[in-house]
Structures are given as structure tokens and as C-alpha cells.
């Protein structure tokens, strides 16, 4: 009998790529999004069900989970993928925007986990996968609020992994790199307009220029889908699944050097003088 996965934020980007990847692997897929009527999946297997889910609405999350169980009998893997991006100078970022980012990227993840945990506990097990970012491994300038929202989920998931282990539930992290044409840019929208004051313009221009000429390739949607599949099917105790060469580079630097070496390398990397 096929296993079932539920994925939030599946209309585009990583979520859609993961949904299609799991369909190809023979899984039942519950692809959730705010407006499923606008989805463009071309599925003929009968193993795909589109469901409305607003990650900022706890009642919507519970309703989607109930509908998913009604459709396929169980939810073996739950993926918190829905998220929004933000690039800004922090001093120019309105408090309301900070709260908006956290409502989706952090509190939405918490609410979804709180809804799916009792379901998995009664089932006798399952896997929860929270999608964060390379910015959840190593902070970068001009994305302080976004980093904070992802670091919150990193710590939350690590704690949850220990807490849920006695119930046969695995909590895991998939950490994509930066994909300019997918989730971060597409889901940032107009909220970034006007959030880089003139005093920051030169620094921001130099920084974004460096990001456009990154020393490794950026991750792809396929690499993220593959990392989600690995996290969903791994019987071991691995917590983090970096996706893409850019994330793996940051992870290697973070976890194989001292804190002083790491921060000095990053400081030079982000210096407008190119490492002086």
C-alpha cells in the first residue's frame, strides 16, 4: 500500500517539485496550498489530492489534515514547506512585516506540527520535515528577519526530534540553498520595496552583486525534492539534510571550523571591499 505525504506550499517551487517527485516514486500526495483551484498539476494516477490550507490559520491546518486522512487513511510524512522571503535593512523593516514573516515561517510551522503530532502518535509513528534554508545554518546580511524566522524553526525542530523519538516520530530539517527563480524571490513579492534606505544602497548593491556571482551553483528544485525524499525515507537518526552545493558549502564551513574562523570568513565574504 502506498505511503502518504502531505506538503504545504505546493502550488509552485520546492513544494510542487517535491509533490511531483513523490508521485513519481509511487506515493500518495496531499498537495496543499491557499488556492488549489489555481494549481497546474497534470496527474492521472489518482494518488494526488489538492487541498486548501492556510498555514497562518490553525483551523485550516486541522481541516486539511482531516481531509487528507479521509482521502488516504493516514499521513506518513508531513512537510512544512510553505514560507515567504524578505530582503531588507533591518532598521527599515516595519514591525508588522517582521510579524508577517514569523506568522508564516515560524508560527505556521509550529501550528502545523502541533496538529499533526497527535495524529502520528496515534498511528504509531511518522516523519515531520521542516524546510528551512541555508540562512538557517549561516546568517547573511540584509535578511535578518528571514534568518531569525528560519533559525527559530531549526532550534524548534532539533528539540522536537528528541521529544518525539519515544513515539516513533522523526522530526527532520531540509535546508535548501538560494534558488533565485523559486521560493524566496517569488514569495517575497512587493513587501521588499523601499526597505533598503539610501545609506545602505552601496553596501546592498555590492552584497547582491556577490550573491549573483556565488562561488558554487545554487540549489535546484530537484535537489530539494531529493533531499525531502531522503529525509522521508531514511531509517537512521540524521537531523539535517542540506540541499544544493551552496548549502553544503555553508554547512561544511559552519560545522568543521571554529566559531571564530567561521565568523571571520563570513565577515570577509560580505565585506564591500571584497575580503579586505
Amino acid at each position: 500500500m502506498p505511503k502518504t505525504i502531505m506538503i504545504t506550499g505546493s502550488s509552485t517551487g520546492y513544494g510542487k517539485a517535491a509533490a511531483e517527485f513523490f508521485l513519481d516514486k509511487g506515493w500518495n500526495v496531499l498537495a496543499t496550498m491557499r488556492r488549489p483551484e489555481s494549481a497546474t498539476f497534470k496527474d492521472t494516477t489518482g494518488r494526488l489530492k489538492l487541498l486548501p490550507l492556510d498555514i497562518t490559520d490553525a483551523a485550516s491546518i486541522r481541516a486539511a489534515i482531516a481531509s487528507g486522512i479521509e482521502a488516504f487513511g493516514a499521513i506518513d510524512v508531513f512537510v512544512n514547506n510553505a514560507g515567504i522571503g524578505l530582503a531588507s535593512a533591518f532598521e527599515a523593516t516595519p514591525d508588522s512585516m517582521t510579524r508577517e514573516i514569523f506568522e508564516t515561517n515560524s508560527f505556521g510551522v509550529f501550528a502545523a506540527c502541533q496538529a499533526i503530532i497527535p495524529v502520528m502518535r496515534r498511528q504509531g509513528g511518522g516523519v515531520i520535515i521542516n524546510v528551512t534554508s541555508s540562512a538557517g545554518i549561516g546568517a547573511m546580511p540584509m535578511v535578518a528577519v528571514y534568518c531569525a524566522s528560519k533559525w527559530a524553526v531549526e532550534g524548534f525542530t532539533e528539540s522536537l526530534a528528541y521529544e518525539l523519538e519515544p513515539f516513533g516520530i522523526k522530526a527532520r530539517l531540509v535546508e535548501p540553498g538560494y534558488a533565485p527563480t523559486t521560493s524566496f524571490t517569488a514569495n517575497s513579492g512587493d513587501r521588499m520595496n523601499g526597505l533598503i534606505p539610501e545609506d545602505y544602497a552601496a553596501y546592498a548593491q555590492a552584497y547582491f552583486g556577490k550573491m549573483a556571482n556565488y562561488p558554487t551553483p545554487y540549489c535546484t528544485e530537484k535537489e530539494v525534492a531529493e533531499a525531502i525524499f531522503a529525509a522521508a525515507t531514511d531509517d537512521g537518526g540524521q537531523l539535517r539534510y542540506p540541499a544544493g552545493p551552496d548549502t553544503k558549502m555553508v554547512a561544511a564551513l559552519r560545522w568543521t571550523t571554529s566559531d571564530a574562523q567561521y565568523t571571520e570568513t563570513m565577515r570577509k565574504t560580505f565585506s564591500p571591499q571584497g575580503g579586505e
Side-chain angles (χ1 to χ4, degrees):
M1 184 175 179
K3 288 190 173 183
T4 299
I5 185 169
M6 175 175 274
I7 307 170
T8 69
S10 296
S11 59
T12 60
Y14 300 148
K16 184 177 181 182
E20 292 174 337
F21 191 90
F22 276 82
L23 281 172
D24 289 343
K25 294 291 185 180
W27 286 53
N28 296 325
V29 175
L30 300 162
T32 76
M33 59 209 74
R34 290 192 178 193
R35 291 177 292 277
E37 65 277 5
S38 63
T40 57
F41 288 92
K42 296 179 181 178
D43 174 65
T44 59
T45 67
R47 289 184 282 100
L48 172 68
K49 186 172 180 61
L50 305 182
L51 295 171
L53 188 153
D54 180 349
I55 200 66
T56 65
D57 183 339
S60 173
I61 295 168
R62 291 193 299 269
I65 290 172
S67 295
I69 293 171
E70 183 180 359
F72 293 126
I75 298 174
D76 301 289
V77 178
F78 190 99
V79 181
N80 275 304
N81 167 74
I84 52 179
L86 178 69
S88 67
F90 178 68
E91 74 167 82
T93 306
D95 181 66
S96 60
M97 192 166 294
T98 298
R99 293 178 183 278
E100 179 187 357
I101 296 298
F102 269 82
E103 283 294 337
T104 295
N105 292 2
S106 303
F107 295 121
V109 171
F110 302 163
C113 288
Q114 199 161 47
I116 196 63
I117 287 168
V119 172
M120 290 185 169
R121 185 168 46 76
R122 289 191 293 268
Q123 290 175 176
V127 182
I128 297 170
I129 300 170
N130 294 331
V131 179
T132 56
S133 167
S134 58
I137 302 172
M140 299 180 184
M142 312 307 295
V143 286
V145 171
Y146 178 76
C147 284
S149 72
K150 294 299 186 179
W151 280 55
V153 176
E154 290 267 329
F156 167 78
T157 307
E158 184 172 344
S159 175
L160 210 59
Y162 308 134
E163 183 176 322
L164 298 181
E165 188 173 4
F167 302 105
I169 303 171
K170 297 180 183 297
R172 289 174 162 163
L173 290 157
V174 166
E175 301 160 321
Y178 176 55
T181 60
T182 57
S183 59
F184 185 91
T185 304
N187 292 334
S188 298
D190 294 335
R191 70 176 60 84
M192 294 193 296
N193 293 343
L195 297 185
I196 301 178
E198 183 60 32
D199 288 342
Y200 288 86
Y203 178 86
Q205 183 177 9
Y207 167 65
F208 291 130
K210 290 182 178 182
M211 293 299 289
N213 294 281
Y214 210 67
T216 69
Y218 284 126
C219 79
T220 64
E221 293 178 357
K222 181 181 178 183
E223 287 169 329
V224 177
E226 289 171 342
I228 292 172
F229 186 78
T233 57
D234 187 353
D235 290 332
Q238 185 171 334
L239 172 65
R240 292 180 170 86
Y241 294 77
D246 51 336
T247 303
K248 292 175 181 177
M249 181 187 72
V250 173
L253 181 64
R254 172 111 255 179
W255 303 119
T256 63
T257 63
S258 69
D259 189 62
Q261 288 173 314
Y262 171 80
T263 52
E264 180 64 12
T265 299
M266 296 297 271
R267 185 192 68 78
K268 289 181 178 179
T269 298
F270 300 135
S271 167
Q273 287 74 39
E276 294 179 3

